[in-house]
Amino acid sequence: DSVWVPTVFTKNRERLIEHDAVVAFFNAVLKQADKKRWLSKEHFSVDGTLIQAWAGHKSFVRKDGKDDDDGGDFRGKSRSNETHESSTDPDSRLFRKGKTASELRFMGHTLMENRNGLIVNATVTQADGHAERVAAKAMINDARQAHPEAAITLGADKGYDAAEFIAELQKMKVTPHVAQNKSNRRSAVPDEIAQTEGYGMSLQRRKRIEQGFGWAKTIGQIRQVMVRGLKRVDQMFVLNMAAYNLVRMRTLAQV
């Protein structure tokens, strides 16, 4: 049979978004894992990763329509998300983290249960310096609502060691197993928590969350997404995390 024309695939993608089909698939995979008792309802880890947008630097133009008068050579020029946006993907943001170069990006976030390293929540936001903590609060709040009586802990790296974030976790009755950041500052994580045995175990287990990102960027399709718009990128990210869970569950079944 002849292959469908591209417009058919495009329409189907929009239908999947409209009916939350990918989210339903992701939840169905988690239900299978829960039946096998592979999911922890108490101990979680959170992290974020950068996703390169399907947009180039040349598409990053002024919002007011004026010409930068740089002949297309943007090197050495001051450009920001306040004054510029991508003409091909307006939802993407120019962002850099650490020693990486500034690129048009999104930010993907996952919540992992610590027992077997399965992803129990995934979402995509625009890339900025606060997105990781905002997404983390929303995801762990979902876990708290699902398990109101559980003694929940949340592991995370030093980037989450902020007073506002730690206070919000404690308000939700979630024990912050966040790596202490004491580089010329005082950590917001209480020392009495950092000295517990469970805290050390959480910091070891949380590193497993990187495996999901690594799989999705090398085998999956999120290193640079070939879709545009926040909703479509989010759909692709959640689908990749569901696939990672299936691969992980296959390994667990063989143990």
Side-chain angles (χ1 to χ4, degrees), residues 99-169:
K99 296 181 180 179
T100 63
S102 293
E103 299 283 353
L104 287 167
R105 290 168 164 151
F106 293 92
M107 190 170 285
H109 315 269
T110 58
L111 183 72
M112 179 193 76
E113 58 81 34
N114 287 357
R115 179 178 297 167
N116 289 300
L118 293 170
I119 305 302
V120 296
N121 203 334
T123 189
V124 169
T125 65
Q126 292 178 326
D128 65 54
H130 302 284
E132 286 185 308
R133 294 193 292 271
V134 172
K137 287 186 289 187
M139 291 190 294
I140 197 62
N141 185 59
D142 287 346
R144 167 52 72 201
Q145 297 298 319
H147 313 292
E149 303 301 326
I152 294 178
T153 66
L154 181 67
D157 62 32
K158 293 181 179 180
Y160 294 82
D161 185 3
E164 180 271 337
F165 181 70
I166 301 302
E168 192 66 25
L169 291 185

Side-chain angles (χ1 to χ4, degrees), residues 223-237:
R223 181 177 295 279
Q224 183 177 25
V225 287
M226 296 181 68
V227 294
R228 296 188 174 112
L230 184 61
K231 289 184 178 180
R232 293 178 183 178
V233 176
D234 180 74
Q235 181 190 51
M236 183 65 67
F237 185 71

Side-chain angles (χ1 to χ4, degrees), residues 5-237:
V5 295
T7 53
V8 175
F9 286 104
T10 301
K11 291 179 180 178
N12 282 340
R13 182 181 293 120
E14 295 303 320
R15 293 190 188 105
L16 292 174
I17 293 174
E18 179 183 355
H19 298 288
D20 287 331
V22 171
V23 174
F25 175 65
F26 181 86
N27 291 335
V29 172
L30 288 181
K31 286 183 179 179
Q32 290 186 14
D34 195 34
K35 288 181 179 179
K36 296 286 187 179
R37 297 185 178 181
W38 286 335
L39 300 180
S40 169
K41 295 177 174 60
E42 296 180 339
H43 305 296
F44 301 91
S45 295
V46 69
D47 205 356
T49 190
L50 294 176
I51 302 172
Q52 189 171 349
W54 192 242
H57 277 286
K58 289 184 178 180
S59 74
F60 199 59
V61 295
R62 292 184 63 90
K63 294 179 181 180
D64 57 17
K66 295 181 180 180
D67 192 350
D68 276 324
D69 196 28
D70 57 10
D73 185 4
F74 55 84
R75 290 174 294 183
K77 304 292 183 179
S78 177
R79 303 189 301 171
S80 72
N81 292 310
E82 285 70 33
T83 57
H84 291 64
E85 69 178 6
S86 171
S87 59
T88 53
D89 191 350
D91 287 342
S92 63
R93 292 291 181 269
L94 192 66
F95 187 77
R96 64 174 296 176
K97 186 176 181 180
K99 296 181 180 179
T100 63
S102 293
E103 299 283 353
L104 287 167
R105 290 168 164 151
F106 293 92
M107 190 170 285
H109 315 269
T110 58
L111 183 72
M112 179 193 76
E113 58 81 34
N114 287 357
R115 179 178 297 167
N116 289 300
L118 293 170
I119 305 302
V120 296
N121 203 334
T123 189
V124 169
T125 65
Q126 292 178 326
D128 65 54
H130 302 284
E132 286 185 308
R133 294 193 292 271
V134 172
K137 287 186 289 187
M139 291 190 294
I140 197 62
N141 185 59
D142 287 346
R144 167 52 72 201
Q145 297 298 319
H147 313 292
E149 303 301 326
I152 294 178
T153 66
L154 181 67
D157 62 32
K158 293 181 179 180
Y160 294 82
D161 185 3
E164 180 271 337
F165 181 70
I166 301 302
E168 192 66 25
L169 291 185
Q170 293 175 323
K171 184 178 178 180
M172 288 188 280
K173 297 183 179 179
V174 174
T175 304
H177 284 180
V178 177
Q180 289 186 307
N181 183 4
K182 294 186 175 181
S183 300
N184 299 320
R185 64 190 292 275
R186 182 178 179 180
S187 172
V189 180
D191 288 336
E192 54 267 27
I193 292 178
Q195 293 169 0
T196 62
E197 181 180 0
Y199 177 84
M201 293 175 63
S202 287
L203 293 190
Q204 290 181 340
R205 292 293 182 91
R206 71 169 180 81
K207 297 176 182 178
R208 187 182 287 175
I209 201 170
E210 297 289 348
Q211 295 178 10
F213 294 146
W215 183 92
K217 288 188 175 183
T218 55
I219 300 175
Q221 299 177 323
I222 69 161
R223 181 177 295 279
Q224 183 177 25
V225 287
M226 296 181 68
V227 294
R228 296 188 174 112
L230 184 61
K231 289 184 178 180
R232 293 178 183 178
V233 176
D234 180 74
Q235 181 190 51
M236 183 65 67
F237 185 71

